[in-house]
Amino acid sequence: MIHHQIRLAMRPDAPRDKVEEALEMLRRMGREIDAVTYWTVGRDVGGDFDYGAMFAVEDIEGYRAYMHAPLHRRVDEIGLPLVRDMVSHDLTDDEDPATADRIRQIHAERFAGDPALVTLIEGLGSYEGSSAPGRD
């Protein structure tokens, strides 16, 4: 299993209705992306973030399908402009040491093929995690 988690600190001027729309779009990802086995979206507790989401997929091919899903890209377009700071991490019980490199490669492919997504990421106050544009 691979568990992909994001933590989001919203911009202070983010309109509440737009934040709610973005959270509902994250929930749609959990419901509608076939590769997702289970998921949760909600308030982030115990840190400097407002909200979080976690999506679990069975394997690296499921991860690729999740990351490249058109709905995922639509959520980026709607949600990222509302975000001040973001952390994106992955946890896996896959003992293959190459899994981490495969995860980073999927992110790198996604950014390389979508300059507009890179611009959205660069608009964040901070972004840490599995793979940020230009870090690999």
Side-chain angles (χ1 to χ4, degrees):
M1 294 293 293
I2 301 171
H3 296 83
H4 178 70
Q5 179 181 352
I6 60 171
R7 299 176 78 193
L8 309 166
M10 309 312 284
R11 295 182 186 276
D13 61 347
R16 185 78 197 139
D17 63 324
K18 295 297 182 186
V19 170
E20 289 300 325
E21 177 186 6
L23 293 172
E24 182 52 33
M25 292 294 291
L26 285 167
R27 292 180 187 104
R28 277 189 58 200
M29 286 174 54
R31 291 189 301 262
E32 296 178 20
I33 297 175
D34 290 338
V36 174
T37 303
Y38 56 91
W39 57 277
T40 189
V41 173
R43 291 179 299 118
D44 190 278
V45 178
D48 295 328
F49 297 91
D50 302 305
Y51 301 100
M54 189 282 305
F55 301 92
V57 297
E58 288 290 329
D59 53 27
I60 198 69
E61 289 310 313
Y63 189 85
R64 181 181 313 280
Y66 161 79
M67 290 304 294
H68 288 285
L71 180 57
H72 189 170
R73 182 58 181 87
R74 184 159 153 70
V75 171
D76 291 333
E77 194 75 30
I78 291 168
L80 288 175
L82 306 171
V83 174
R84 182 185 70 230
D85 301 315
M86 179 174 161
V87 175
S88 167
H89 288 284
D90 296 290
L91 172 69
T92 184
D93 60 0
D94 185 336
E95 295 186 19
D96 181 349
T99 298
D101 288 335
R102 289 183 185 121
I103 288 171
R104 282 190 287 278
Q105 182 61 37
I106 290 167
H107 283 270
E109 291 167 0
R110 190 166 182 252
F111 293 132
D114 192 345
L117 177 58
V118 173
T119 299
L120 287 169
I121 294 293
E122 288 173 344
L124 299 174
S126 68
Y127 174 77
E128 296 179 25
S130 306
S131 181
R135 289 194 188 165
D136 292 332

